[in-house]
Amino acid sequence: MCSMKTRIKELRKQHKLSQEELAEAVGTTRQTITSIEVGKYIASLPLAYKIAHHFGLTIEEVFDFSDLED
Amino acid sequence: MKEYKEKLKTTRVILAIAVLILFAFTVLSVLSECGVIHFAPVAGDGHWQSRWRGFICGASVGIGAMILVGLIRISKAMGDEKELKKLYVKENDERQRQIYISARSLAMQIFVIFGLVAGIVVGYFNVTVSITVLACVTIHSLIGLMCKLYYSRKY
C-alpha cells in the first residue's frame, strides 16, 4: 500500500489540537490519526472528509494527491 | 448511537446466556470430578477421563471469565455516554478494521498452505490424521470461498 502526505500535523498545531482531541472530534482513535499523519495509513473518504471539514478545508487542501497524478 | 445501544443490549443478553451455559459446564465438570454425576468422555481410561474433565472445566472457567469481562465492559459503557462513545469509536475504528481484515486474510492463507503441507507430510505416517487435516483445510477453504462469493455480490 502506498503512503500519502498530509497537512494534518501542521493544521493541528495551528489549531492547538492534540491527536486525541482531533480523534475524538472526527470519531476515530488517536492511533489512527498518528498513522495518517506519518503516512502509514490512508484515511477512507468519509474520514478524510471529516478531518478536512473539521479544519474548514477541502480534502485536497489537507491530503496531498500529487503522487496519484503521475 | 441509538442503534449501537440496541446492538449492545442484544450482545449483552447473548453473552449472559453464554456465561450461564459455561457456568453450567463448569459445575457439571466439578460434580463429575467429585463423583456425584457421571460425566466423562467414552474413550480412554480413568486417568485420561479425569484429565479431560479438568481441561473442560478449565476451558469453561477461562472462556467464561473472558466473556464476563466483556459483559462488565458493555454494562459499564451503557450507563455512561462518554464510555459508550469510546467503545463505539474503538469498535468502529476503520484502521482497526483494516488491521483485522488484513490479519484474518493472511492467517487464512497461512493456515491453508501449512495445512496442505502438514496433511501431505503426515500422510506418510498416519492416514487418519492426514485425512482429518486435509478435510479441515478443505472445509475452511470452502467457507472462505462462500464468504468471498457473498461479498462479491454484496459490493
Side-chain angles (χ1 to χ4, degrees):
Chain A
M1 188 189 273
C2 60
S3 61
M4 183 177 273
K5 286 175 198 156
T6 75
R7 286 181 57 217
I8 297 175
K9 197 173 180 179
E10 177 197 327
L11 291 164
R12 254 193 332 101
K13 294 257 163 84
Q14 275 178 20
H15 288 78
K16 291 188 175 76
L17 273 175
S18 68
Q19 288 182 333
E20 188 79 52
E21 285 164 339
L22 177 63
E24 206 181 319
V26 297
T28 190
T29 59
R30 185 189 57 77
Q31 289 89 339
T32 302
I33 297 293
T34 309
S35 292
I36 297 169
E37 277 187 7
V38 297
K40 270 166 70 180
Y41 176 74
I42 299 174
S44 68
L45 195 56
L47 182 59
Y49 172 78
K50 278 184 196 171
I51 293 169
H53 189 73
H54 184 77
F55 292 120
L57 299 167
T58 61
I59 293 176
E60 289 95 327
E61 286 171 316
V62 179
F63 295 86
D64 181 10
F65 292 98
S66 58
D67 287 351
L68 299 176
E69 286 164 7
D70 298 333
Chain B
M1 201 56 83
K2 206 177 172 185
E3 261 178 43
Y4 182 63
K5 222 171 184 177
E6 287 300 313
K7 191 186 142 198
L8 279 186
K9 269 183 195 171
T10 316
T11 310
R12 198 164 63 167
V13 172
I14 294 167
L15 290 183
I17 292 167
V19 166
L20 285 175
I21 291 169
L22 286 167
F23 179 71
F25 265 105
T26 310
V27 171
L28 278 175
S29 300
V30 172
L31 288 177
S32 178
E33 199 55 41
C34 297
V36 180
I37 55 161
H38 186 70
F39 176 64
V42 283
D45 55 14
H47 179 63
W48 162 252
Q49 289 180 352
S50 174
R51 286 179 78 174
W52 190 246
R53 278 195 303 265
F55 170 73
I56 291 173
C57 188
S60 303
V61 171
I63 297 167
M66 270 168 28
I67 295 174
L68 204 61
V69 169
L71 199 62
I72 291 166
R73 205 178 63 171
I74 290 173
S75 301
K76 211 175 138 189
M78 283 184 75
D80 183 354
E81 282 296 317
K82 210 176 168 184
E83 282 291 318
L84 187 72
K85 200 185 167 195
K86 236 184 205 175
L87 192 66
Y88 177 80
V89 167
K90 201 179 164 191
E91 277 188 19
N92 292 283
D93 180 51
E94 60 176 52
R95 181 175 151 272
Q96 284 298 332
R97 271 195 187 173
Q98 190 60 51
I99 292 169
Y100 181 76
I101 291 166
S102 302
R104 295 289 295 180
S105 170
L106 183 66
M108 190 182 162
Q109 286 172 32
I110 292 170
F111 175 81
V112 170
I113 292 165
F114 276 88
L116 283 174
V117 172
I120 292 163
V121 173
V122 169
Y124 288 103
F125 308 100
N126 191 318
V127 178
T128 313
V129 175
S130 176
I131 290 171
T132 309
V133 171
L134 290 174
C136 277
V137 173
T138 309
I139 291 167
H140 194 267
S141 302
L142 282 174
I143 292 170
L145 188 70
M146 283 193 289
C147 291
K148 197 180 167 186
L149 283 172
Y150 170 75
Y151 283 109
S152 299
R153 281 174 176 271
K154 195 177 174 187
Y155 299 119

